[in-house]
Amino acid sequence: MKVCDSLAEWREKRASDRFTGQTVGFVPTMGALHDGHRTLLQRAREENARVILSIFVNPTQFDDPNDLVRYPRSLESDLAVAAGLADYVLVPTAKEIYPDSYHYRVSEYELSRRLEGAHRPGHFDGVLTVVLKLLHLVQPRRAYFGEKDWQQLQLVRGMVEALFLPVEIVPCRTVREADGLALSSRNRRLSPAARAVAPQFAKILRASGSAAAAVPALQAAGFEVDYVEDRAGVRLGAVRIEGVRLIDNVRL
Ligand code: PAF
């Protein structure tokens, strides 16, 4: 496994014979890798000759500067998770990814303004812009995204279609702890007390008769609720517990 922290070096590698005629699978991440990411990497490994992982805590998708500062960073343990699964790990700097100082960006004007977008202004502009840049840099045949970030997945698919990008977006099922809590890098920030309550989030989303009924049930369990909404056969929610924001969704 080769770690590339310079885009010039990566571009040279990508243009080399090693990639000629080989299918490339790509897993974009912000690091703090867990078993959910491992599943994406395993799937990419099974389906492609070359697997590329990117680790980049993308500043433009954080609407809250404190959230960006507090986002977990753990490159050494991330590389241990990726070992044997990824062939190359891209760890670019923000300066390299944004030579334009983010003057050019991708905006979607419908779904991106709802749900997460309504609570995190500009979040999906940052996500779509960085994903487009990474897809150009990596030129994968397939790119792997988790269904936990349902809205992100739909928006990336929409962008790929709208901009005629030659890549297949592969959705991967949410990986959960035994008690039902969806794996997320943010779970590391839960106190033991909050961690004990957190599995109630998915349970209540699943058990409630309607999105509206889920809200008071979540509040009674100790969550602050940003939203719960049913959309396209999926119940989506975002909550906060002791200041840690969790998102999840369940099929109806
Ligand atoms: O899902 C994530 O980790 C990020 O939003 C992504 C897709 C890597 C873009 O920064």
Side-chain angles (χ1 to χ4, degrees):
M1 187 171 79
K2 170 92 184 107
V3 179
C4 291
D5 51 16
S6 132
L7 286 186
E9 182 194 1
W10 162 248
R11 286 177 137 150
E12 208 174 284
K13 293 258 174 326
R14 183 65 183 86
S16 75
D17 292 353
R18 248 172 278 183
F19 283 94
T20 312
Q22 305 289 347
T23 54
V24 173
F26 176 44
V27 180
T29 76
M30 297 208 296
L33 301 187
H34 49 65
D35 279 350
H37 297 113
R38 196 195 306 271
T39 308
L40 303 183
L41 285 166
Q42 278 163 344
R43 176 106 185 251
R45 182 81 276 165
E46 281 160 26
E47 298 179 351
N48 304 277
R50 300 276 180 269
V51 175
I52 317 302
L53 164 72
S54 67
I55 297 178
F56 177 60
V57 181
N58 174 33
T60 64
Q61 68 187 77
F62 286 83
D63 52 303
D64 172 358
N66 289 329
D67 196 22
L68 173 60
V69 171
R70 288 197 305 247
Y71 200 83
R73 289 159 173 89
S74 53
L75 185 59
E76 263 185 42
S77 60
D78 290 349
L79 296 180
V81 171
L85 293 171
D87 298 302
Y88 291 91
V89 185
L90 308 188
V91 191
T93 60
K95 216 171 157 193
E96 276 195 297
I97 290 288
Y98 292 105
D100 60 327
S101 305
Y102 195 42
H103 292 173
Y104 290 83
R105 60 185 76 175
V106 181
S107 292
E108 191 273 355
Y109 282 88
E110 214 286 315
L111 178 58
S112 74
R113 308 294 153 112
R114 302 175 190 278
L115 301 161
E116 281 298 284
H119 291 266
R120 304 183 65 190
H123 169 66
F124 286 117
D125 287 8
V127 170
L128 292 176
T129 303
V130 81
V131 170
L132 181 64
K133 286 173 183 259
L134 292 168
L135 290 175
H136 280 313
L137 288 163
V138 175
Q139 301 167 49
R141 163 86 67 86
R142 303 183 184 91
Y144 296 79
F145 288 83
E147 288 181 347
K148 186 177 83 66
D149 295 306
W150 183 91
Q151 193 177 3
Q152 167 174 285
L153 171 63
Q154 308 311 316
L155 286 163
V156 168
R157 275 175 159 163
M159 174 178 75
V160 162
E161 223 178 288
L163 303 184
F164 309 109
L165 303 180
V167 59
E168 179 192 342
I169 301 301
V170 182
C172 298
R173 294 296 283 264
T174 302
V175 180
R176 296 182 182 277
E177 302 278 7
D179 59 12
L181 176 65
L183 297 193
S184 164
S185 306
R186 288 169 202 271
N187 294 355
R188 294 185 190 191
R189 287 174 35 211
L190 294 169
S191 70
R195 174 63 188 81
V197 174
Q200 290 304 315
F201 180 23
K203 284 194 181 111
I204 292 171
L205 287 183
R206 203 170 280 121
S208 301
S210 65
V215 174
L218 286 164
Q219 286 164 338
F223 299 101
E224 283 172 59
V225 180
D226 276 359
Y227 63 84
V228 180
E229 214 176 293
D230 292 348
R231 214 180 157 93
V234 178
R235 177 162 299 152
L236 301 124
V239 296
R240 289 168 203 269
I241 182 152
E242 292 182 359
V244 181
R245 193 164 184 279
L246 303 175
I247 64 170
D248 204 348
N249 63 83
V250 298
R251 284 164 205 253
L252 292 173

